[in-house]
Amino acid sequence: MVMDHVKINGTTSIPVTRSSETSSENGHITVEQIRQNIPTTKQLRDPYRQAVMIEEDVGYRQKVVIRSYEVGPDKTATIGSILNLLQETALNHVWMSGLLGDGFGATHGMTRNDLIWVVSRMHLQIDHYPIWGEVLELDTWVGASGKNGMRRDWQLRSHNTGIVYARATSTWVMMNQKTRRLSKMPDEVRAEIGPWFIEKRAFEEDAPEKIEKLDDNAKYITSNLKAKRGDLDMNHHVNNVKYVGWMLETIPEQFMEENQLTSIILEYRRECGNSDIVQSLADPDEVGIFNGVHQTSNDSLINGYSLPSELLKGNGLLKSFEGRELRYTHLLQTKGELKSEEIVRGRTIWKKKLYKKPFPT
């Protein structure tokens, strides 16, 4: 037997006993090995993730690089990739805090009480999409949301210029892992996470706009969607990023090619498992497609859209289309024989792309 020392995030060293024989004749590992060195105390720096604590050591900052499999045909990061980065840095924040228990971001107190985190609302705003190979800095921090909830915010910016590309805010509540019912925050959990709460916000939201529930009269409907095993997270329900993929699949392809997502709001109603049959509904808003530009019923039509009077008066086609804002309302629901149950309501806001060709190589 020999003694090795395993570093935890480059700061703590613990002795590990291992056998001098590491593999069997079939090439399989024959001894138990440490796979996760989860810190048990707060770490101020993580060299492996290029991460540090900020905001008086309660916030988290990580450097990330946009990889080839995280971009689409135009070489910019997809919405799914951005959401995955938000989720990853949130979990890494808990990892470095020393509070990570045995769950998907759950603390030790939550684990003892069979509690997990579930997101109830998320709002993401995107001003610029990062491109393939770009180096970014992603900050995240948490704050209180009422008596029993938690707010988590993010800010994504260019490492080179400091320009903010995207901001997001979200609200989380606790669910009992066994009963699948929402739970109040136990005192021991409040004592764990309370010292990490700060008042800073990624952006100030106006009074939340109510997202109406769609019905079978929605313009676009995609049915018979079903999660695969790979779509489930560590809490055994469908990952939030999959929901967004289902929503966007329902929007016509031509619209997606000509427009760029600038904002998405998600309101979660219930969890979804891999046995659920899901239906995705999407309906475009017919009012306000030219944001801040006056329209009259006598304006001319181009490609089915009325031409605003400012354009007819000579203010220019490009100027008018730069201000154009298009909105979709979304609904994901389980589709059963007797009734349908809401999974998530959504609102997306889009602007016309000013270019269609990929970035030059």
Side-chain angles (χ1 to χ4, degrees):
M1 305 291 288
V2 296
M3 296 292 291
D4 278 355
H5 281 74
V6 177
K7 287 186 177 180
I8 299 179
N9 289 336
T11 58
T12 306
S13 182
I14 61 172
V16 177
T17 302
R18 66 174 177 85
S19 168
S20 59
E21 296 295 329
T22 59
S23 61
S24 70
E25 58 184 10
N26 294 325
H28 297 295
I29 295 174
T30 57
V31 296
E32 183 178 350
Q33 292 187 331
I34 293 179
R35 299 291 297 274
Q36 286 183 305
N37 302 319
I38 300 176
T40 56
T41 58
K42 180 195 288 189
Q43 308 294 304
L44 300 182
R45 186 174 299 274
D46 184 348
Y48 300 111
R49 295 178 176 85
Q50 299 190 65
V52 295
M53 286 295 192
I54 58 172
E55 301 289 348
E56 298 183 352
D57 297 335
V58 295
Y60 177 85
R61 173 175 296 163
Q62 182 173 340
K63 190 181 296 183
V64 297
V65 180
I66 300 299
R67 307 186 188 280
S68 60
Y69 52 81
E70 295 174 324
V71 302
D74 59 358
K75 299 183 182 177
T76 65
T78 64
I79 182 65
S81 296
I82 293 175
L83 289 169
N84 277 325
L85 286 175
L86 301 187
Q87 178 174 276
E88 179 67 12
T89 51
L91 292 171
N92 291 344
H93 184 199
V94 184
W95 177 289
M96 280 188 67
S97 73
L99 297 177
L100 185 63
D102 193 31
F104 198 43
T107 66
H108 299 290
M110 292 175 65
T111 301
R112 285 190 290 270
N113 288 273
D114 294 318
L115 298 175
I116 59 176
W117 286 114
V118 291
V119 60
S120 60
R121 185 177 184 274
M122 175 169 282
H123 184 182
L124 169 63
Q125 295 179 344
I126 306 175
D127 297 325
H128 309 281
Y129 280 79
I131 63 174
W132 173 35
E134 191 163 10
V135 182
L136 308 169
E137 286 183 345
L138 185 50
D139 293 357
T140 185
W141 60 93
V142 293
S145 177
K147 288 185 177 181
N148 295 296
M150 182 182 74
R151 190 192 73 252
R152 177 174 286 279
D153 287 17
W154 294 267
Q155 186 183 83
L156 179 68
R157 63 182 172 274
S158 165
H159 173 68
N160 292 329
T161 67
I163 295 174
V164 175
Y165 285 2
R167 300 174 178 86
T169 187
S170 60
T171 305
W172 298 75
V173 293
M174 292 184 184
M175 172 187 285
N176 187 288
Q177 193 169 15
K178 293 180 178 178
T179 66
R180 314 309 284 186
R181 294 181 180 275
L182 297 183
S183 170
K184 292 183 178 181
M185 185 182 296
D187 290 339
E188 67 169 316
V189 176
R190 195 184 311 277
E192 284 180 317
I193 65 176
W196 294 83
F197 289 171
I198 58 177
E199 293 298 324
K200 179 180 177 181
R201 294 178 181 268
F203 57 89
E204 292 294 333
E205 290 187 288
D206 298 328
E209 180 182 353
K210 183 179 179 181
I211 302 177
E212 299 292 339
K213 181 182 178 181
L214 297 180
D215 54 28
D216 291 340
N217 294 319
K219 188 169 185 179
Y220 304 108
I221 299 177
T222 303
S223 300
N224 298 320
L225 298 168
K226 195 173 187 299
K228 300 176 182 178
R229 267 198 304 266
D231 298 323
L232 302 183
D233 62 24
M234 286 186 273
N235 288 333
H236 303 287
H237 57 223
V238 176
N239 190 283
N240 300 324
V241 178
K242 186 64 178 182
Y243 293 154
V244 176
W246 281 337
M247 286 181 174
L248 300 187
E249 284 177 15
T250 309
I251 296 178
E253 185 175 350
Q254 182 177 350
F255 179 91
M256 297 281 289
E257 291 177 353
E258 296 177 350
N259 298 278
Q260 185 167 272
L261 180 67
T262 62
S263 174
I264 182 168
I265 299 175
L266 303 167
E267 294 180 355
Y268 298 89
R269 306 289 173 159
R270 71 181 291 271
E271 60 182 336
C272 174
N274 63 340
S275 62
D276 290 322
I277 304 300
V278 177
Q279 186 179 62
S280 175
L281 296 82
D283 203 43
D285 289 8
E286 301 295 339
V287 179
I289 61 171
F290 285 92
N291 185 32
V293 180
H294 175 68
Q295 287 180 265
T296 71
S297 58
N298 295 325
D299 292 339
S300 302
L301 293 175
I302 292 182
N303 292 335
Y305 292 110
S306 57
L307 198 60
S309 55
E310 283 83 349
L311 180 60
L312 297 177
K313 292 176 183 177
N315 285 354
L317 179 63
L318 181 59
K319 181 177 179 181
S320 179
F321 272 82
E322 283 178 346
R324 177 180 167 186
E325 187 178 272
L326 301 103
R327 295 168 174 247
Y328 268 82
T329 301
H330 302 266
L331 174 67
L332 292 182
Q333 62 182 7
T334 60
K335 199 64 177 175
E337 294 182 3
L338 299 179
K339 66 174 183 178
S340 300
E341 292 187 271
E342 291 183 79
I343 301 172
V344 57
R345 294 186 191 185
R347 167 65 50 79
T348 54
I349 299 177
W350 306 75
K351 287 186 178 180
K352 194 77 173 178
K353 287 183 180 179
L354 298 182
Y355 60 88
K356 293 185 179 180
K357 294 183 178 180
F359 285 96
T361 56

